[in-house]
Amino acid sequence: MVDLFFAAVVHLFEPHILVLVMLGVAIGLIFGALPGLSATMALALLLPVTFAMQPDAGIAMLVATYIGGVSGGLVAATLLRIPGTPSSIATTFDGYPLARKGQAIKALATGMVASAVGGLLGLAVLVGFAPVVARFAIRFGAAEYTALTIAALVLVVVLSESNLLKGLLAALLGLSLSTVGFAPIGAAQRFSFGNIDLLAGIGIIPFMVGLFAIAQIIREITEPGTRVKGKLDLEGAGVRLGEFLANGINMVRSAAIGIAIGVLPGIGGSASNLVAYGAARSASRKPEEFGKGSLEGIYAAETANNASVGGALLPLLTLGIPGDGVTAILIGGFTIHGLQPGPLLFRNEPELIATIYAAFLLATLALLLVQLLTIRMFPRVLLIPRHYLVPVLTLLMVVGVYVGEYRIFDVWLMLGFGVVGYLLERYGFPLGPMVLGFVLGTIFETNMRRALMFANGDWSIFVTRPISATLLLMAAVLLCFSVWNLLKARSRRQTVS
Amino acid sequence: MTRFWKAGLLAAGLLMPGTALAQVDYPVDTVRVFVPANPGGGTDAGARLFAEFFQKHSDASIAIVNQPAGGGVVAAQSVAEGASDGSVLFFFHAALHTANLFGQSPFSWESFTPLATTSEINEVYAVREDAPFDTVDELIAYAKEHPGELNIGSQLGGTTQVKGEALNQAAGGKMRIVDAGTESDRITALLGGQVDVISMSVANAKQYAEDGQMVVLALMNENPDPAAPEFPTTVSQGIDFSLPLVMTVYGPGEVDQAVVDAFDQIVAEIEADPEFAEALAKQSQAPALRGPEAAAEFLAREYKTIAGLLGK
């Protein structure tokens, strides 16, 4: 595969394909950056455009758009504290504080370099080990998914947040919200109050955009002085080699988390950046800097979400199994270009696989290039007076959320969650665990019920399967450990007073 | 920002329908087709291909609106009480019947006006390559010897539950029907050894069968699939049912006669167009064209079959 891969890279090195890859990356970046628009939409829009192209050019452009879309969240997350996609939630934790300190360029450049490293590490695993990893991923059954969602939630609550109780409550709130609408298995209607719009459940896009973007708009309006004051350091230093090297282990760990979570269909980038962030914080020598502009935090989040792309493509190409909405469209695109992803693809058409890998490589490099070329444009956003910025952003969000499913209901939902997000943040409830609870809630519920169905109602399935048992044990130990820490800290406080 | 708009304009330009040939006069210029599925899947692909050929043979242009929320209930609501002039249409398949029968949706096929069926996707029953049965008969015999041991992976509440029920009834109810989610999830569950039989599309089954990971027990149709003539049908193995996934176009509850007439002609035009079958074949679908009247008869039959299998 490796030699075919390099042959394909050379083959794709044609001017018109390079232009298409750049264009795909740029379109993806813009869709990923704007709250409400997403990589899914960018692909859906471009899909018909690629019909007319040669298969390799069309596929290269689709892959490039996908990668651009996943990475686009970085800019808005860093500069505006608005994550364009769930994959860049953790980027807001440290990117935004750093940008507000006047080091916007440094924050962005760090994120861009980390994205490229994450993408390349993900690609390396894809090229080198795809069939092996795919065989492992298939053993991940319903019980394992159940245990993994619990472990991921506990990990994020415990590791990345300072207030354990509020973190847990936020995660539970997210879990509860994910139960609105039809039960994922069977026809039970929950919290719908006879309303057809609620029956359909709460969409991830209005939920996310409301919670983060609208809440941020409310903060912009109500709280004076959230803007950067004084002169913005646009020249400021970018990435230093020393910092990059110091984050080597951090990046490898985050990429490993990103790939591992990305490989599992259904979970993907939205969880990996939060989990990697939590892991980086707990491993850091300076955990107190996290949340205040720590470079380690940016490295972790951005490496993990781009590494997830390589992970997500793995089951897609080896088994024909899409992990999420974006990869499902990608499959549609591949099919139209005469490429049926599935187990035969690897054996019958390794050249096509190599083309996809090569497109991945080119897109990752094009991404870095496009981002670095435009890096000095974006921080000026911080200098735009808010009476221009706020209405434009709000308009974009309303339109973006509406065109997702063409439902006005979603717009109201988004505005409602804006108020909820604003209040939660104001009273110190972290939003990361809440989003993760919401995203993982359905996966958790579905898989738990499936596992019980497979086992004929026997709960021991969760502890008799080794992977599931290990994950649950890990979650339990983590939780006990932090509750113990909490109690110790409390009793110390009491003795002092 | 400018780049964004440029990209949008570029895409819009390329999406514009080409000038059409012999065209049927459709009562309105622009039609919105609500599709209760995400872009990229079989239902969406069927809708987009139908839209392409509808535009080719009529003077109307079509916009596809994907509204997957609530398993179709939202899209159904958008259309059921829409304008009667043919400007809003609904594109779906037998999941409309199952959602209604399972109480997940107040809309049945009779809430709409059937206008056409367009294409069909065949499905098969597949098992792991190392399973101790290679035919439907062997599976049934095994199930009867080991009652309650075999799991049929279906999506509960969906059309595949019906397919599971059909097979289970043939085996005297000796198997268990469990939820294993979407087709992708079912494939993983089967290969991972969590379930023993699944229903899946012919396109995927061909790959896994050729790769030696799965054995196809039966194609759920009376006639073999032209794309996979090697798969034996259910009917040839003594199980008397045929359940291809047939894509259907509906209008709202009330539809003007002019729309129905136009559909009659457009369906006939598409039927005469050999390119339609070719384009469908690329998506592993086969033409199944019926005009308004034939579609209504077909749907009544389909609904009855499914209700019967579910005991409702």
Side-chain angles (χ1 to χ4, degrees):
Chain A
M1 184 43 79
V2 176
D3 47 336
L4 272 177
F5 167 66
F6 287 111
V9 172
V10 175
H11 174 68
L12 282 190
F13 235 83
E14 282 176 43
H16 79 280
I17 293 185
L18 289 180
V19 168
L20 287 175
V21 165
M22 291 285 249
L23 197 67
V25 163
I27 293 173
L29 271 175
I30 290 161
F31 273 76
L34 295 175
L37 303 185
S38 61
T40 318
M41 269 180 226
L43 276 177
L45 186 73
L46 272 186
L47 200 55
V49 181
T50 66
F51 286 178
M53 298 176 190
Q54 291 293 316
D56 49 357
I59 287 169
M61 188 169 188
L62 289 174
V63 171
T65 312
Y66 175 38
I67 290 174
V70 174
S71 317
L74 169 70
V75 174
T78 306
L79 298 179
L80 300 169
R81 199 167 176 250
I82 295 174
T85 59
S87 326
S88 47
I89 292 172
T91 313
T92 61
F93 298 163
D94 283 306
Y96 182 69
L98 193 60
R100 276 191 61 197
K101 285 184 197 162
Q103 294 182 297
I105 296 280
K106 187 181 180 96
L108 285 174
T110 305
M112 290 167 185
V113 170
S115 293
V117 172
L120 292 177
L121 288 176
L123 177 66
V125 171
L126 189 62
V127 175
F129 310 102
V132 188
V133 179
R135 268 201 296 280
F136 178 76
I138 257 194
R139 284 209 222 118
F140 234 74
E144 284 78 12
Y145 268 95
T146 314
L148 180 75
T149 48
I150 295 176
L153 266 178
V154 168
L155 201 71
V156 167
V157 169
V158 167
L159 295 184
S160 55
E161 308 299 337
S162 37
N163 190 325
L164 182 68
L165 266 185
K166 284 185 173 171
L168 271 178
L169 282 174
L172 290 175
L173 185 60
L175 280 173
S176 321
L177 285 169
S178 75
T179 61
V180 174
F182 285 122
I185 299 176
Q189 300 179 5
R190 304 181 296 198
F191 307 113
S192 68
F193 306 102
N195 178 324
I196 284 200
D197 283 313
L198 275 176
L199 264 186
I202 295 170
I204 175 79
I205 291 178
F207 178 78
M208 272 277 305
V209 175
L211 222 46
F212 288 93
I214 295 290
Q216 178 67 9
I217 296 279
I218 299 177
R219 269 191 298 273
E220 292 277 343
I221 297 169
T222 55
E223 292 169 13
T226 50
R227 302 237 59 84
V228 178
K229 293 235 175 70
K231 193 178 170 299
L232 189 64
D233 185 8
L234 278 185
E235 301 308 314
V239 181
R240 290 211 192 87
L241 187 65
E243 290 162 1
F244 180 78
L245 293 178
N247 277 289
I249 296 174
N250 181 6
M251 281 190 281
V252 170
R253 179 186 54 239
S254 304
I257 292 173
I259 296 165
I261 295 184
V263 162
L264 301 171
I267 300 190
S270 42
S272 70
N273 73 104
L274 288 166
V275 172
Y277 183 84
R281 180 183 163 140
S282 73
S284 171
R285 276 196 217 109
K286 291 180 256 170
E288 69 283 356
E289 280 185 15
F290 275 68
K292 294 177 190 138
S294 162
L295 285 179
E296 286 175 80
I298 304 179
Y299 272 112
E302 283 298 317
T303 314
N305 63 21
N306 275 67
S308 286
V309 174
L313 281 178
L314 206 147
L316 181 84
L317 294 176
T318 50
L319 304 166
I321 290 171
D324 52 20
V326 195
T327 36
I329 298 189
L330 211 51
I331 275 209
F334 289 169
T335 319
I336 281 155
H337 288 291
L339 184 159
Q340 173 77 42
L344 283 186
L345 192 61
F346 248 84
R347 188 190 305 165
N348 296 354
E349 307 197 56
E351 294 85 6
L352 268 172
I353 299 258
T355 305
I356 294 172
Y357 291 169
F360 190 151
L361 177 70
L362 287 184
T364 305
L365 298 177
L367 175 74
L368 189 62
L369 189 69
V370 171
Q371 283 183 319
L372 289 178
L373 285 177
T374 52
I375 190 168
R376 298 203 182 273
M377 276 162 46
F378 295 117
R380 293 184 195 280
V381 166
L382 294 176
L383 300 175
I384 300 175
R386 73 174 85 174
H387 51 274
Y388 294 126
L389 192 62
V390 165
V392 169
L393 280 177
T394 313
L395 186 73
L396 277 174
M397 290 169 202
V398 170
V399 172
V401 164
Y402 175 72
V403 299
E405 286 209 9
Y406 304 95
R407 291 165 70 197
I408 260 319
F409 176 77
D410 281 345
V411 176
W412 294 116
L413 211 56
M414 168 187 84
L415 296 175
F417 276 116
V419 177
V420 172
Y422 174 72
L423 291 176
L424 283 176
E425 173 111 3
R426 207 181 155 146
Y427 294 102
F429 289 91
L431 296 181
M434 182 165 162
V435 173
L436 202 63
F438 181 78
V439 171
L440 297 184
T442 316
I443 301 174
F444 165 72
E445 185 190 349
T446 313
N447 283 291
M448 189 179 85
R449 291 185 56 191
R450 259 183 220 161
L452 286 172
M453 258 191 242
F454 294 162
N456 228 339
D458 183 359
W459 287 83
S460 69
I461 183 169
F462 296 111
V463 288
T464 48
R465 291 175 69 108
I467 302 176
S468 157
T470 315
L471 286 166
L472 285 177
L473 187 71
M474 210 174 82
V477 168
L478 258 173
L479 201 59
C480 291
F481 183 67
S482 41
V483 168
W484 186 64
N485 268 347
L486 193 76
L487 293 176
K488 206 172 62 178
R490 184 169 293 173
S491 69
R492 201 183 303 138
R493 257 205 314 275
Q494 274 166 353
T495 41
V496 170
S497 64
Chain B
M1 207 59 237
T2 46
R3 199 180 299 147
F4 170 67
W5 293 118
K6 272 185 203 156
L9 286 176
L10 177 72
L14 289 166
L15 284 171
M16 291 278 269
T19 40
L21 327 159
Q23 294 183 322
V24 176
D25 198 20
Y26 193 75
V28 289
D29 291 336
T30 48
V31 183
R32 281 183 304 157
V33 178
F34 286 79
V35 183
N38 278 310
T43 312
D44 180 68
R48 285 178 195 276
L49 273 175
F50 169 70
E52 190 186 324
F53 283 85
F54 186 93
Q55 292 182 143
K56 187 174 165 189
H57 294 288
S58 77
D59 59 355
S61 64
I62 287 193
I64 300 279
V65 183
N66 295 93
Q67 271 189 344
V73 65
V74 171
Q77 188 195 24
S78 304
V79 178
E81 276 150 35
S84 62
D85 59 1
S87 59
V88 284
L89 302 175
F90 182 55
F91 190 96
F92 208 19
H93 45 66
L96 181 69
H97 308 324
T98 53
N100 182 246
L101 286 165
F102 284 118
Q104 285 174 333
S105 161
F107 303 103
S108 77
W109 71 277
E110 285 168 309
S111 317
F112 300 94
T113 309
L115 291 174
T117 68
T118 63
S119 59
E120 59 185 32
I121 300 178
N122 270 313
E123 297 212 342
V124 301
Y125 293 120
V127 297
R128 262 186 318 282
E129 177 275 327
D130 59 4
F133 28 74
D134 287 331
T135 64
V136 173
D137 280 343
E138 286 174 24
L139 171 74
I140 291 174
Y142 187 92
K144 286 183 173 163
E145 277 166 37
H146 304 83
E149 262 183 37
L150 294 181
N151 285 343
I152 307 177
S154 300
Q155 187 164 29
L156 294 192
T159 55
T160 55
Q161 181 176 352
V162 178
K163 288 160 186 167
E165 296 284 356
L167 185 63
N168 199 20
Q169 283 176 19
K174 299 292 185 196
M175 295 186 272
R176 296 193 307 136
I177 297 176
V178 296
D179 184 85
T182 62
E183 178 151 334
S184 302
D185 293 344
R186 294 197 296 275
I187 293 174
T188 334
L190 182 73
L191 293 177
Q194 310 217 352
V195 297
D196 306 291
V197 192
I198 59 169
S199 47
M200 67 194 290
S201 68
V202 166
N204 274 328
K206 263 177 80 98
Q207 288 236 341
Y208 283 95
E210 204 175 311
D211 195 43
Q213 298 188 46
M214 289 186 193
V215 173
V216 170
L217 296 186
L219 181 89
M220 296 172 227
N221 204 330
E222 305 154 324
N223 308 312
D225 190 295
E230 69 273 24
F231 297 159
T233 65
T234 38
V235 175
S236 74
Q237 298 184 79
I239 309 181
D240 190 24
F241 70 83
S242 166
L243 282 173
L245 201 58
V246 178
M247 304 293 162
T248 311
V249 185
Y250 297 96
E254 299 286 323
V255 166
D256 302 343
Q257 189 57 37
V259 178
V260 177
D261 294 342
F263 252 89
D264 244 334
Q265 295 175 39
I266 294 169
V267 167
E269 290 282 338
I270 296 179
E271 198 154 23
D273 184 346
E275 286 174 23
F276 185 59
E278 281 170 32
L280 280 174
K282 278 194 196 157
Q283 301 286 341
S284 303
Q285 302 197 16
L289 285 157
R290 294 181 185 87
E293 217 171 296
E297 279 166 31
F298 167 78
L299 288 165
R301 224 168 38 238
E302 191 182 52
Y303 183 84
K304 210 170 134 233
T305 311
I306 289 177
L309 282 167
L310 294 175
K312 302 213 177 187

